[in-house]
């Protein structure tokens, strides 16, 4: 796909924290990693970035962990992608050609460029709360399992 595992783990982690927000308690990294099926140490690095950007709250110590805050639900997926993948994967050639752009397109560029543009539009318009809303309406949601 066009995004990284880092982005996928970040989205899943934010969805989990948002789903658990009613408990108003900090959730430990071990629990989050287990529930979203992500490697704990890799997820911890992602969550540090999210906490530094103030998209989630964190607290250290034996009773520490992470919880969602008012910024969590309003995070757009495009902002999240740019935070988790600073070398914007949507700006790179899917064939991995170094100099692919609209002036020097690779053979696949004319086919993939409109798809990328639409994907960026969807990411910009979609927030974490939108994904939670879809989850609530979907009886067969993956969030039921976490």
């Amino acid at each position: 796909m066009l995004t990284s595992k880092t982005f996928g783990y970040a989205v899943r982690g934010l969805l989990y924290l948002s789903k658990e927000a009613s408990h108003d308690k900090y959730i430990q990294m071990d629990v989050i990693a287990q529930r979203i099926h992500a490697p704990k140490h890799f997820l911890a690095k992602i969550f540090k970035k999210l906490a530094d950007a103030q998209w989630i709250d964190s607290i250290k110590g034996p009773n520490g962990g992470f919880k969602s805050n008012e910024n969590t639900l309003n995070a757009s997926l495009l902002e999240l992608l740019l935070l988790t993948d600073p070398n914007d994967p949507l700006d790179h050639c899917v064939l991995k050609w170094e100099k692919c752009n609209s002036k020097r397109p690779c053979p696949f560029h004319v086919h993939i460029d409109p798809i990328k543009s639409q994907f960026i539009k969807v990411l910009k318009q979609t927030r974490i709360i939108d994904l939670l809303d879809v989850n609530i309406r979907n009886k067969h949601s993956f969030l039921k399992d976490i």
Side-chain angles (χ1 to χ4, degrees), residues 3-10 12 42 46 85:
T3 61
S4 67
K5 284 183 181 183
T6 304
F7 174 74
Y9 291 147
R12 287 167 35 200
F42 187 46
I46 297 167
D85 294 328

Side-chain angles (χ1 to χ4, degrees), residues 21-122:
S22 62
H23 298 112
D24 199 37
K25 66 178 182 179
Y26 287 88
I27 303 170
Q28 294 184 334
M29 179 53 59
D30 291 349
V31 173
I32 300 166
Q34 180 184 21
R35 295 308 302 248
I36 71 166
H37 309 289
K40 179 176 89 171
H41 297 292
F42 187 46
L43 188 62
K45 290 179 183 179
I46 297 167
F47 270 47
K48 179 169 181 357
K49 279 186 183 181
L50 295 172
D52 289 347
Q54 299 179 347
W55 286 20
I56 57 176
D57 293 332
S58 69
I59 192 168
K60 294 182 181 181
N63 296 322
F66 300 89
K67 72 175 183 174
S68 63
N69 63 33
E70 63 277 353
N71 298 323
T72 308
L73 293 176
N74 292 314
S76 84
L77 296 186
L78 182 60
E79 292 171 314
L80 186 58
L81 177 71
L82 296 176
L83 178 70
T84 58
D85 294 328
N87 298 326
D88 185 0
L90 300 177
D91 193 37
H92 297 328
C93 175
V94 295
L95 298 181
K96 307 296 183 209
W97 288 21
E98 288 183 25
K99 300 195 184 219
C100 174
N101 56 44
S102 57
K103 292 180 182 175
R104 267 188 86 179
C106 74
F108 199 46
H109 188 88
V110 295
H111 302 290
I112 202 70
D113 200 46
I115 296 167
K116 278 185 176 181
S117 296
Q118 182 62 30
F119 188 54
I120 290 169
K121 182 179 176 183
V122 169

